[in-house]
Amino acid sequence: MVRVPTSTVGTRTHFTPETPRYPADVHHPKPKGIPVSANRPAAVVVLAAGEGTRMKSKTPKVLHEICGRSLVGHVVSAARELGPEHLVVVVGHAREQVKGHLDAYYEGTRTAVQHEQNGTGHAVRMALEELGQAPDGTVVVVCGDTPLLSGETLKSLAATHSADGNAVTVLTAEVPDSTGYGRIVRDASRAVTAIVEHKDASAEQREIREINSGVFAFDGRLLADALGKVRTDNSQGEEYLTDVLGILREAGHRVGASVAGDHREILGINNRVQLAEARRLLNERLLTAAMTAGVTVVDPASVLVDVTVTFERDAIVHPGTQLLGSTHVAEDAEVGPNTRLRDTTVGRGARVDNTVADSAVIGEDASVGPFAYLRPGTRLGAKGKIGTYVETKNASIGEGTKVPHLSYVGDATIGDHSNIGAASVFVNYDGEKKHHTTIGSHCRTGSDNMFVAPVTVGDGAYTAAGSVITKDVPPGSLAVARGQQRNIEGWVARKRPGSAAAQAAQVAAEQANGED
């Protein structure tokens, strides 16, 4: 699962993760502009041209998502924290799709096309050609399928590269078991002398636990010159970026290393199993950051969050909850159990239980659920209630207003402190167009009402149970819209003789006559 580029072919192997030690993420739902930071590179190159056949998917590998962001999106977001002068993503397979994604969500990112996947060295050459000239400064090269790589680790790589005056600095990691990986061999001055593959390593070298990640910081001009000297006389006939290290060292330049704080940051994704593992690790990182900041997560193992979700302190998240997109949970709010919120704001002190909500706003101290469905455009006011088996869509529900039971409220505005009776339906669709219903403040509507839009119920009005409201109701009025009840005595005995109902009715009649 870790990328191990070598002078021949890089390999990946999965290893067992441990407790994460990641810093909190800096989230960018749709980043705009590139902030300037210390040790600012001249360029960051993201390698995202591969097909990723082991994903067995029609979706390009780098566009698969974990925690609300594509794999390449995670890498680009981390790279942006360096504040590079240029950020270039090398695309190849499904390039139009990948480029469209980058253009839509990562403004200011440039793309370079690798028409034929002729190796990592060739990909970096395409990126430098896109820039038009050899960058004067540091060039950081990262892999587009390493979503756990953090901006802090890249900053440390760039700082080490600058401080040590290296021609190239390798991001390395110390792993519990280095079997199968390219070992980092250093000399007495801690400079890197070689990356030795497992099959070529001596017994002593095989004891080394420091491995190559495939992430590098280069001197831009030396990189451009060395790429012109990379040969293709290998089993794959490709240009390997790792060959640049040997070329620069043979020319007398220093090759150094920066060790990642946690080896799992360099995990690369090749298949769906590794995708799920990375999602688990990143989710764990996000929840750890939230809990450290004062959020109670009752059962982290059963809670999923996206990188763009935000919390305030003393929020509580119960088991079985998914918080997605730009969802925000305010102070003292409780969400879950068994709740899925996407792009939803939960106000201070609100309670959301066994609910699905999409693009909704839930006011302070409001109550939602259990088993409620809030569709896009739902706005619930402070201290309002959306209760059991209630569905809402494009509905503004005022402060203190309650929709407690078994109702559908669509394309509606309801004022403050009103009560909508059980089993109410806002009939908003005539087969061709949607129409709007308005219910005023301090209204009391009866159970089993239908409001046939467009219709308005004025402030302080009542509607009788079982009514079909097709006309406006003036403020303070009682609307009754139902047929008059008529009882036909003896109907069951005549029409259903011998039935259980007829026998029960006969017994009841005899008992009534006996009492008389």
Side-chain angles (χ1 to χ4, degrees):
M1 192 169 176
V2 172
R3 183 185 297 277
V4 191
T6 70
S7 58
T8 55
V9 180
T11 60
R12 296 182 186 221
T13 305
H14 174 76
F15 49 78
T16 304
E18 301 169 351
T19 304
R21 302 190 299 274
Y22 299 104
D25 264 356
V26 176
H27 304 320
H28 300 285
K30 184 175 179 181
K32 292 182 180 293
I34 299 178
V36 176
S37 64
N39 302 300
R40 181 185 189 189
V44 174
V45 176
V46 180
L47 305 181
E51 183 174 356
T53 56
R54 281 176 283 178
M55 295 297 287
K56 300 186 185 305
S57 174
K58 62 181 178 295
T59 301
K61 179 176 74 170
V62 295
L63 296 189
H64 280 264
E65 292 188 359
I66 62 170
C67 299
R69 186 177 284 165
S70 66
L71 300 184
V72 71
H74 283 289
V75 177
V76 168
S77 295
R80 292 175 71 95
E81 294 185 42
L82 287 170
E85 295 178 37
H86 304 284
L87 203 167
V88 183
V89 180
V90 182
V91 298
H93 174 72
R95 54 185 176 272
E96 294 300 328
Q97 201 173 341
V98 177
K99 184 178 186 303
H101 173 76
L102 294 169
D103 290 344
Y105 295 102
Y106 300 95
E107 186 177 305
T109 302
R110 301 172 65 170
T111 55
V113 178
Q114 187 184 25
H115 292 282
E116 296 181 6
Q117 279 69 70
N118 290 329
T120 51
H122 178 260
V124 174
R125 276 206 300 117
M126 297 302 98
L128 297 188
E129 287 182 11
E130 168 65 23
L131 295 177
Q133 59 182 6
D136 187 9
T138 300
V139 175
V140 176
V141 179
V142 297
C143 306
D145 59 356
T146 52
L148 301 179
L149 189 62
S150 70
E152 290 301 316
T153 293
L154 290 179
K155 289 178 184 178
S156 178
L157 171 67
T160 299
H161 180 75
S162 177
D164 293 352
N166 297 328
V168 55
T169 305
V170 187
L171 179 65
T172 68
E174 294 186 359
V175 297
D177 180 5
S178 58
T179 301
Y181 300 112
R183 308 307 206 280
I184 300 296
V185 180
R186 299 177 184 251
D187 62 18
S189 69
R190 301 296 294 162
V192 175
T193 60
I195 300 175
V196 181
E197 289 311 296
H198 180 85
K199 66 181 185 301
D200 300 322
S202 65
E204 181 180 2
Q205 289 171 335
R206 290 187 179 188
E207 296 298 316
I208 298 172
R209 294 172 54 207
E210 186 179 10
I211 66 168
N212 176 27
S213 71
V215 178
F216 306 92
F218 293 95
D219 177 282
R221 295 193 178 279
L222 293 177
L223 170 64
D225 180 68
L227 284 172
K229 302 174 183 177
V230 171
R231 300 167 61 88
T232 59
D233 53 350
N234 52 65
S235 60
Q236 300 297 314
E238 295 182 352
E239 301 174 31
Y240 295 125
L241 183 62
T242 45
D243 288 351
V244 169
L245 278 66
I247 292 170
L248 292 178
R249 182 166 178 80
E250 288 176 8
H253 299 291
R254 177 181 169 85
V255 178
S258 175
V259 183
D262 191 301
H263 62 267
R264 284 157 301 179
E265 285 203 31
I266 65 173
L267 296 177
I269 308 302
N270 275 322
N271 56 46
R272 309 294 181 111
V273 175
Q274 295 170 351
L275 186 73
E277 181 69 1
R279 180 183 292 109
R280 184 186 69 79
L281 289 169
L282 181 54
N283 190 71
E284 197 173 77
R285 179 199 300 187
L286 296 169
L287 290 178
T288 297
M291 290 186 287
T292 302
V295 176
T296 295
V297 181
V298 176
D299 180 21
S302 69
V303 173
L304 296 177
V305 295
D306 281 351
V307 294
T308 42
V309 170
T310 54
F311 302 89
E312 296 178 19
R313 67 177 185 177
D314 291 322
I316 300 174
V317 183
H318 291 282
T321 295
Q322 298 179 36
L323 304 175
L324 311 173
S326 58
T327 294
H328 175 76
V329 183
E331 185 174 355
D332 296 324
E334 291 189 52
V335 294
N338 306 318
T339 292
R340 185 175 78 241
L341 308 181
R342 182 183 296 277
D343 300 329
T344 293
T345 298
V346 181
R348 180 175 300 186
R351 182 73 175 90
V352 183
D353 179 11
N354 282 268
T355 291
V356 174
D358 185 358
S359 303
V361 175
I362 299 167
E364 293 187 3
D365 299 312
S367 173
V368 179
F371 312 117
Y373 181 22
L374 279 56
R375 292 167 60 191
T378 296
R379 302 289 185 271
L380 177 62
K383 300 182 180 179
K385 178 179 178 63
I386 294 175
T388 307
Y389 299 114
V390 173
E391 179 180 349
T392 61
K393 187 269 295 182
N394 193 28
S396 177
I397 300 169
E399 179 178 347
T401 288
K402 299 178 180 180
V403 188
H405 319 286
L406 301 162
S407 296
Y408 171 70
V409 180
D411 294 291
T413 300
I414 306 175
D416 299 335
H417 305 291
S418 290
N419 189 88
I420 305 301
S424 293
V425 176
F426 285 58
V427 185
N428 57 339
Y429 185 50
D430 65 7
E432 293 184 357
K433 296 181 180 180
K434 297 289 182 73
H435 301 281
H436 200 81
T437 296
T438 300
I439 308 290
S441 297
H442 299 280
C443 293
R444 299 292 182 267
T445 69
S447 296
D448 195 25
N449 275 192
M450 290 193 178
F451 299 94
V452 182
V455 70
T456 297
V457 177
D459 292 347
Y462 281 56
T463 60
S467 293
V468 178
I469 305 300
T470 60
K471 298 179 181 180
D472 290 352
V473 181
S477 300
L478 169 64
V480 181
R482 61 191 182 201
Q484 185 174 358
Q485 181 174 325
R486 182 166 66 99
N487 297 331
I488 303 174
E489 295 188 6
W491 185 89
V492 173
R494 292 193 301 274
K495 299 295 185 180
R496 302 289 188 270
S499 68
Q503 294 172 18
Q506 182 178 350
V507 170
E510 291 171 353
Q511 290 176 343
N513 291 334
E515 291 176 359
D516 292 343

